Amino acid sequence: MIGDEILIAALVYVIACLGLAFFQQKQTAKLKAKVDALTVLVKESDRQREAVKRELQELRSGTIGVGKRMLELEKKTSRQDARLDEANQQDPQAKLYTRAMKMVDLGAGVDELINECEIPRAEAELLIRLHGKG
């Protein structure tokens, strides 16, 4: 009798151990599957991060190029403005007509142009027709 009970207890113990081992094996497989999935996600995340990093570097390089180009254009514009100012200062007649055009933009009439800019009536009328607002 005691031998049968020990045998039954040992059998129950072995079955319980086998059940626990089987359960642990299933849990280990589930955890391994989760780890594998996370590994794939991490690798994809790293790949995307590298792609974004490359794109950002390209954007930075492009921005630097645009900035340099803008500086060049600003320098050219400044030089051209200086040349125009110099040309206007060297030609007093051009200064008169520039002033006359500004006066026309402000609404000056023929007589006012004749008196202020000392230009002939025909030229004053022509300026008003060409540059006048009406």
Side-chain angles (χ1 to χ4, degrees), residues 10-126:
L11 188 59
V12 168
Y13 178 74
V14 168
I15 291 173
C17 286
L18 286 174
L20 183 61
F22 180 70
F23 177 75
Q24 284 180 334
Q25 185 179 11
K26 283 179 78 175
Q27 292 300 320
T28 302
K30 285 181 184 178
L31 286 174
K32 184 180 182 317
K34 287 181 181 179
V35 167
D36 290 345
L38 287 173
T39 302
V40 168
L41 286 175
V42 167
K43 285 180 181 178
E44 177 63 19
S45 176
D46 286 346
R47 187 190 64 73
Q48 289 177 352
R49 184 178 50 83
E50 287 301 318
V52 167
K53 193 174 170 183
R54 280 191 306 274
E55 288 176 12
L56 184 59
Q57 184 61 36
E58 289 173 9
L59 286 172
R60 284 182 184 154
S61 297
T63 302
I64 290 170
V66 168
K68 287 179 182 178
R69 183 72 179 136
M70 287 295 295
L71 288 174
E72 289 174 18
L73 290 173
E74 285 177 6
K75 287 178 186 177
K76 283 182 181 180
T77 302
S78 294
R79 287 193 301 260
Q80 288 175 347
D81 286 345
R83 287 181 191 149
L84 282 173
D85 289 343
E86 185 180 316
N88 284 336
Q89 289 175 359
Q90 291 177 357
D91 185 6
Q93 198 68 14
K95 278 172 78 173
L96 284 178
Y97 284 101
T98 301
R99 182 171 176 227
M101 286 188 283
K102 285 181 185 176
M103 288 177 66
V104 169
D105 286 340
L106 295 172
V110 173
D111 292 330
E112 197 175 352
L113 290 176
I114 292 169
N115 291 332
E116 292 292 323
C117 299
E118 300 176 358
I119 59 175
R121 177 172 286 282
E123 290 180 13
E125 291 172 353
L126 181 61

